[in-house]
Amino acid sequence: MMPKFFSDPDALAEEIVRDVGADLVIGLPLGLGKANHVVNALYARACADPDIKLTLLSALTLEKPRPKALIERRFITPVIDRLFGGYPDLAYAEALRENRLPPNIEIVEFFFLAGRWLHVPVAQQNYISANYTHAVSYLLARGMNVVTQLVAKRVVDGVPRYSLSCNTDTTLDVLRERRAGRASFRLIAQVNSELPFMPGEGDLPAGEFSAVLDSAATDFPLFAPPSEPISDTKYAIGLNAASTVADGGTLQIGIGQIGDALAQGLILRHRDSAAFHDVVTRLSPERPAVARQAGAFQAGLYGLSEMVTEAFVGLIDGGVLKRAIDGVVLHGAFFLGPKSFYRGLRQMPPDQLARIQMMPVSFTNELYGEEDQKRGARVDARFINVTMMATLLGAAVSDGLDDGEVVSGVGGQYNFVAQAFALHGARSVVTLEATRRAGGALKSNILWRYGHETIPRHLRDVLVTEYGVADLRGKSDADVVASVLTIADSRFQDELARVAKDAGKLPRGYEIPAAHRENHPDRIAAALKPAREAGLLPPFPFGCDFTEVEQRLIPALEILQGAQHSSRALAGLLWQGLTRKPDAAEEACLARLGLDRPKTWPERFYRALVSAALAESRVA
């Protein structure tokens, strides 16, 4: 049976209310796959009629950046206009943030955009802590009766077909439940012309849908966060992690820039093994056995990841991802990335695109269901994910704070860690930056203990920072503490060791080896400098949506941001900027920020600060 077709989202919302009733429990795909116009129409309908009870079950609500400070606003606002200008905001997000949701509307999420919902009580209270693979059962238990999804459209022999494209993850799983008679819901589509039509299980006939919104008036540019430049710290982490990946194995990458750094490290290793070996040896001469992989990829890797990013396409193009399972080199469950990523998928030849298959999250994140085939494919797997903090005893803190507030979510991290212990030859590689700035102070991300854990210490495996790799699997507590200390920042090592000794977890006479007592950022910068200068570690390895002027501004603004924690550093930049004349390239950067002709005293100060930061960034 064919769906009903609509060009007006408000008319579609009325149809949903008539068809389903006044108690609407709507499932929204994670991230990119939300049908924004349909969701906004249903939200407006419920706002206008208090008799309608609307529950939105969601994850990763995408919002445009919200710059605050003057320089930040002047830099990022044109970027937002350029990349997100036509993206329709989700109306419920602003209302939730401002605590003005009507009492008949509830927003429930199981994964947050990192840090965006801190100090928003209603969002925090309605959060569901869930492994990604458990989310489907929770959605169905809440009585989900509608799923709205952004789709790509293709007409075959005069008949439309629709691709779930970016979000096969939970939708394919709930459709399986519906076919088995264990769920009942209406599947509603909104067509988007920028979504690539992905082959595979998410390529659905029109009859799967109850209604389709298809109109030029509701087409919109996809949410496309720009790639950010990879810092020395993140390159060091990515390179260290790349040394753990075995040829002929399986690769999963988590969310973030460390994944990009890892992918570029793997490409460098494949194309120039000697250069790769040199840079990782400079980073950390003493490496455990798990981190001594440096050869080119003869057999290649098979990709298996809940999230597919542009880095995976780079690995395919770079000849690293080439070990095929039934003709497929990459299985994923959802994707998100810059505009070039979506465009690349849309324009990819069909025979090449067929090597990338989008699957349900139950396939990527779990072993049960066709377990023998999964085990046969997922050989020597490296599940590489990011955490915020880790303890000396090997626990990871990835989703929340010790006061109970949620930063992001568990997502699939626990799933992949569990797989690493269930599969022969597999390892869980958890990465983190050794330090962070908080409240103007430098703090260690390696702690003795913390009041919340995402991955418990009994699942500790491989931990990676910019300073090296610690192999923790099967080790005693004393050996784990000693190993983690070797990859901690040296400014915090002594205090961490003292606390561990006071707790009886290290012998009183233990000393951190001299080879690991120089864990400082300057050493990392010096270790990477030859490869940076040779162009082997570009700041944007997989393309960039920033202009050349913006790319010159980014490191300068990072210098300025870092200086804000020190009145002496700010004063030094101010004096330097007031006593020098910018060159033509710097003037173009200042003009981009509207500081070429300052009219106020704050603008004059900012001009001087940015001018000095530009000069310092060129020296660096």
Side-chain angles (χ1 to χ4, degrees):
M1 190 171 82
M2 294 294 286
K4 294 182 179 180
F5 293 95
F6 293 82
S7 59
D8 178 6
D10 293 326
L12 174 54
E14 288 294 335
E15 172 68 18
I16 292 171
V17 173
R18 281 195 301 269
D19 186 30
V20 179
D23 189 358
L24 297 172
V25 183
I26 315 288
L28 313 182
L30 175 148
L32 189 64
K34 292 179 174 58
N36 289 25
H37 287 92
V38 180
V39 175
N40 284 346
L42 287 166
Y43 176 78
R45 183 72 180 79
C47 286
D49 184 353
D51 290 332
I52 294 175
K53 185 177 186 304
L54 176 64
T55 302
L56 298 178
L57 304 171
S58 178
L60 200 62
T61 292
L62 300 176
E63 295 181 281
K64 300 171 189 173
R66 296 170 177 261
K68 296 178 181 178
L70 183 144
I71 293 297
E72 183 186 7
R73 287 199 310 272
R74 292 192 178 185
F75 176 77
I76 203 67
T77 298
V79 178
I80 295 171
D81 292 342
R82 190 168 71 238
L83 299 181
F84 304 100
Y87 180 78
D89 293 321
L90 288 158
Y92 73 77
E94 185 175 356
L96 178 61
R97 190 175 301 284
E98 297 176 357
N99 195 28
R100 54 180 178 81
L101 282 177
N104 59 318
I105 297 176
E106 182 181 23
I107 313 298
V108 179
E109 292 207 68
F110 64 86
F111 199 97
F112 290 150
L113 196 61
R116 294 298 292 271
W117 295 98
L118 290 170
H119 316 307
V120 181
V122 177
Q124 292 287 330
Q125 292 159 20
N126 288 342
Y127 168 79
I128 295 177
S129 184
N131 283 346
Y132 200 3
T133 50
H134 298 164
V136 166
S137 64
Y138 299 159
L139 298 178
L140 296 179
R142 294 290 295 259
M144 184 180 71
N145 49 28
V146 177
V147 173
T148 62
Q149 172 131 6
L150 207 64
V151 299
K153 174 184 173 183
R154 174 177 292 166
V155 178
V156 180
D157 297 327
V159 179
R161 294 189 67 85
Y162 300 96
S163 168
L164 299 178
S165 188
C166 55
N167 282 88
T168 50
D169 42 16
T170 53
T171 306
L172 283 178
D173 279 330
V174 296
L175 283 173
R176 181 186 59 207
E177 295 297 297
R178 188 173 75 172
R179 292 181 191 121
R182 294 188 290 265
S184 177
F185 58 86
R186 307 296 193 275
L187 181 58
I188 310 297
Q190 177 175 347
V191 174
N192 185 279
S193 64
E194 286 196 7
L195 266 186
F197 196 103
M198 303 298 292
E201 294 187 26
D203 178 352
L204 301 178
E208 291 279 10
F209 299 86
S210 299
V212 175
L213 177 65
D214 189 356
S215 169
T218 55
D219 202 9
F220 62 86
L222 295 174
F223 191 93
S227 298
E228 297 181 34
I230 301 176
S231 66
D232 282 347
T233 296
K234 289 178 180 174
Y235 250 131
I237 296 170
L239 289 162
N240 283 328
S243 70
T244 71
V245 178
D247 186 23
T250 303
L251 179 66
Q252 178 259 333
I253 303 176
I255 297 171
Q257 291 167 267
I258 289 174
D260 288 350
L262 164 69
Q264 178 61 17
L266 292 172
I267 292 169
L268 173 62
R269 174 179 150 188
H270 181 59
R271 292 177 175 171
D272 191 341
S273 297
F276 176 82
H277 181 267
D278 176 68
V279 69
V280 296
T281 302
R282 289 171 62 87
L283 282 170
S284 180
E286 294 188 3
R287 309 181 72 80
V290 73
R292 295 176 188 167
Q293 302 282 347
F297 292 93
Q298 302 302 324
L301 302 178
Y302 157 60
L304 175 82
S305 190
E306 64 176 24
M307 182 173 182
V308 173
T309 67
E310 196 170 32
F312 274 111
V313 177
L315 288 168
I316 294 173
D317 293 342
V320 175
L321 220 63
K322 59 186 177 184
R323 184 171 73 84
I325 305 299
D326 297 326
V328 177
V329 299
L330 173 60
H331 281 115
F334 73 94
F335 62 70
L336 179 67
K339 287 183 177 295
S340 58
F341 175 45
Y342 308 142
R343 184 171 57 252
L345 291 175
R346 289 197 308 270
Q347 297 174 354
M348 194 175 290
D351 61 326
Q352 299 297 309
L353 190 62
R355 299 188 301 162
I356 303 172
Q357 296 280 312
M358 303 302 292
M359 302 292 287
V361 71
S362 60
F363 175 87
T364 57
N365 291 32
E366 292 287 9
L367 284 178
Y368 53 74
E370 301 180 336
E371 183 171 339
D372 289 344
Q373 295 94 316
K374 290 180 178 180
R375 286 184 177 276
R378 301 174 189 189
V379 297
D380 290 329
R382 296 295 181 268
F383 300 110
I384 302 177
N385 291 284
V386 178
T387 193
M388 300 186 297
M389 294 174 281
T391 71
L392 275 181
L393 290 168
V397 182
S398 306
D399 67 310
L401 305 178
D402 61 358
D403 65 358
E405 279 212 290
V406 180
V407 176
S408 55
V410 177
Q413 186 170 109
Y414 187 94
N415 294 140
F416 288 114
V417 171
Q419 277 194 71
F421 282 86
L423 288 166
H424 178 72
R427 303 300 298 266
S428 163
V429 181
V430 175
T431 66
L432 78 159
E433 297 181 69
T435 63
R436 72 185 187 280
R437 284 276 176 188
L442 184 72
K443 296 189 176 182
S444 176
N445 285 329
I446 294 175
L447 312 169
W448 169 240
R449 62 185 174 189
Y450 195 72
H452 170 75
E453 294 177 357
T454 311
I455 306 300
R457 68 193 249 197
H458 70 270
L459 291 177
R460 59 198 181 195
D461 197 348
V462 180
L463 189 65
V464 177
T465 72
E466 62 268 35
Y467 299 119
V469 179
D471 185 355
L472 311 180
R473 183 181 285 201
K475 303 289 179 64
S476 69
D477 278 1
D479 286 343
V480 167
V481 171
S483 294
V484 176
L485 281 171
T486 67
I487 63 170
D489 190 288
S490 291
R491 290 166 287 186
F492 299 95
Q493 285 174 323
D494 289 338
E495 176 60 18
L496 288 168
R498 183 193 65 76
V499 175
K501 290 175 182 179
D502 288 347
K505 287 296 184 178
L506 273 182
R508 281 291 176 187
Y510 176 80
E511 295 290 339
I512 298 169
H516 301 286
R517 296 290 286 170
E518 298 299 325
N519 290 353
H520 297 286
D522 289 347
R523 183 178 70 77
I524 297 302
L528 295 180
K529 187 175 182 181
R532 284 280 206 184
E533 291 178 343
L536 301 177
L537 304 175
F540 297 96
F542 305 112
C544 178
D545 287 320
F546 293 108
T547 67
E548 290 185 10
V549 169
E550 288 166 351
Q551 290 180 52
R552 287 196 295 270
L553 271 169
I554 288 171
L557 296 182
E558 289 174 345
I559 289 172
L560 185 56
Q561 183 179 30
Q564 291 176 358
H565 304 295
S566 166
S567 56
R568 173 180 289 185
L570 273 178
L573 284 176
L574 182 62
W575 176 252
Q576 181 184 350
L578 290 171
T579 56
R580 67 182 299 275
K581 181 176 175 57
D583 62 20
E586 292 167 355
E587 282 290 357
C589 293
L590 293 167
R592 168 63 177 77
L593 298 177
L595 298 175
D596 49 333
R597 294 182 177 84
K599 298 177 181 177
T600 65
W601 279 111
E603 286 185 340
R604 290 186 176 92
F605 284 126
Y606 275 121
R607 175 186 167 87
L609 290 170
V610 173
S611 174
L614 283 165
E616 286 203 9
S617 68
R618 292 174 72 172
V619 172

